[in-house]
Amino acid sequence: MACHIRNSIRRLRFEAGEMTQQELAKHAGVTRQTIIALEAAKYSPSLELGFRIAAVFGQPIESVFQYETA
């Protein structure tokens, strides 16, 4: 069974006053390259990072990340 974690990071950045990838990375304590990889669905975050990113946007984690099975 194939699994995939989708995310709404790009949309949430836009809704947060067009926050840059660098700004999000700084707030979440990661590199800009990590944010790029997350947005491109090339990388699934650790649970801790997922919660940190959700906290930056003031959202529950399930509003930022969605687990899908195919």
Side-chain angles (χ1 to χ4, degrees):
M1 172 176 6
C3 302
H4 182 70
I5 296 179
R6 285 188 325 111
N7 70 71
S8 304
I9 295 173
R10 187 169 294 171
R11 178 183 58 79
L12 289 165
R13 283 194 307 106
F14 178 78
E15 291 174 358
E18 299 188 22
M19 177 187 292
T20 66
Q21 291 171 330
Q22 184 62 49
E23 289 170 323
L24 175 56
K26 181 180 176 186
H27 289 301
V30 295
T31 65
R32 179 174 168 261
Q33 287 73 24
T34 299
I35 301 302
I36 291 168
L38 286 167
E39 286 187 357
K42 305 267 187 215
Y43 170 71
S44 293
S46 67
L47 189 55
E48 179 184 353
L49 177 56
F51 276 108
R52 287 197 319 250
I53 291 171
V56 169
F57 295 117
Q59 298 286 328
I61 195 167
E62 62 271 11
S63 292
V64 182
F65 298 96
Q66 300 81 39
Y67 179 75
E68 297 179 341
T69 59

